[in-house]
Amino acid sequence: KQEVTQIPAALSVPEGENLVLNCSFTDSAIYNLQWFRQDPGKGLTSLLLIQSSQREQTSGRLNASLDKSSGRSTLYIAASQPGDSATYLCAVFTNDYKLSFGAGTTVTVRA
Amino acid sequence: EAGVVQSPRYKIIEKKQPVAFWCNPISGHNTLYWYRQNLGQGPELLIRYENEEAVDDSQLPKDRFSAERLKGVDSTLKIQPAELGDSAVYLCASKVPWGGGELFFGEGSRLTVL
């Protein structure tokens, strides 16, 4: 069974600092990995999707890397803003069409 | 283009009462998921549909939970009777069939069982 871990569970940084969020998974036979953002009381918003053949994906201030062999992905958010405060979840889609989520990292960006 | 639509957004019921949640996926998304999310945790799969077929319902508590997707579009998730431990957010998500396409979520239905 795929296990997805996100460490740390919570992170607080001053505005302007770069954010580094980690995601690890136990089964490297993945189809893709997706990063989501979740605001309190809301659904999940897709941020980036990385296919298993890709090493990274970028969208604006967001960059996600994938190292399938070591079972790791990292989400970088440059020059953080208070509006980046949210919970960030990673989800791994395995070759048997199962999607497994981490518990998320809750980020607070202090103004 | 409309996203995944869920209703109701909030529901408060007494234990042992029934409750139903509705989901309308993105047009053309034949794969539909129902997830349950408890506070501080990631979503957990309840059921996955490919068109009308429930291809993975191994984690659906079938004694009290049921789901249907009669025409391969809208889906309904029902709980009867509800228990205190069912209080959670029920999330619907959709994507293009099979494969590894991007997954899109609705806003969720927050259930409180008293």
Side-chain angles (χ1 to χ4, degrees):
Chain A
K1 179 186 174 185
Q2 178 77 268
E3 300 287 342
V4 182
T5 304
Q6 291 186 249
I7 295 174
L11 186 61
S12 179
V13 299
E15 183 176 3
E17 190 165 302
N18 295 333
L19 286 164
V20 180
L21 307 179
N22 298 302
C23 172
S24 62
F25 48 93
T26 55
D27 183 355
S28 62
I30 68 168
Y31 214 103
N32 62 39
L33 183 146
Q34 196 167 350
W35 282 94
F36 294 90
R37 167 183 173 139
Q38 187 172 33
D39 293 293
K42 300 286 189 179
L44 281 70
T45 299
S46 178
L47 296 174
L48 289 167
L49 172 71
I50 312 177
Q51 301 294 348
S52 62
S53 59
Q54 297 177 314
R55 297 285 294 190
E56 66 178 316
Q57 274 284 11
T58 299
S59 176
R61 295 185 294 113
L62 276 59
N63 174 275
S65 65
L66 174 64
D67 184 343
K68 200 171 67 167
S69 61
S70 67
R72 294 180 185 175
S73 177
T74 303
L75 178 67
Y76 301 90
I77 303 177
S80 62
Q81 304 167 0
D84 294 328
S85 298
T87 298
Y88 293 83
L89 297 100
C90 71
V92 177
F93 191 62
T94 48
N95 293 344
D96 58 354
Y97 301 103
K98 292 189 184 297
L99 188 67
S100 302
F101 282 85
T105 296
T106 298
V107 171
T108 302
V109 181
R110 307 186 303 272
Chain B
E1 182 181 344
V4 178
V5 180
Q6 290 188 246
S7 68
R9 286 293 319 278
Y10 305 93
K11 190 74 176 179
I12 300 174
I13 61 172
E14 299 280 337
K15 64 180 181 181
K16 300 185 182 179
Q17 293 300 305
V19 63
F21 305 111
W22 174 82
C23 173
N24 180 245
I26 292 172
S27 177
H29 283 193
N30 294 346
T31 302
L32 183 147
Y33 298 81
W34 282 102
Y35 285 90
R36 176 169 59 188
Q37 186 178 27
N38 293 306
L39 192 63
Q41 299 180 20
E44 296 178 333
L45 178 68
L46 292 173
I47 191 167
R48 173 171 70 98
Y49 282 94
E50 296 290 343
N51 298 302
E52 304 87 4
E53 183 181 0
V55 296
D56 186 353
D57 63 356
S58 57
Q59 299 183 70
L60 187 72
K62 297 182 183 65
D63 56 336
R64 298 183 300 106
F65 285 66
S66 65
E68 61 183 15
R69 194 184 185 198
L70 294 176
K71 296 184 179 179
V73 181
D74 296 1
S75 178
T76 303
L77 177 69
K78 298 178 181 177
I79 307 174
Q80 182 171 10
E83 297 180 350
L84 295 177
D86 296 332
S87 294
V89 177
Y90 291 84
L91 294 162
C92 179
S94 72
K95 60 186 283 297
V96 294
W98 300 100
E102 192 172 6
L103 188 64
F104 295 89
F105 279 84
E107 291 286 343
S109 295
R110 179 177 296 276
L111 173 66
T112 301
V113 182
L114 302 176

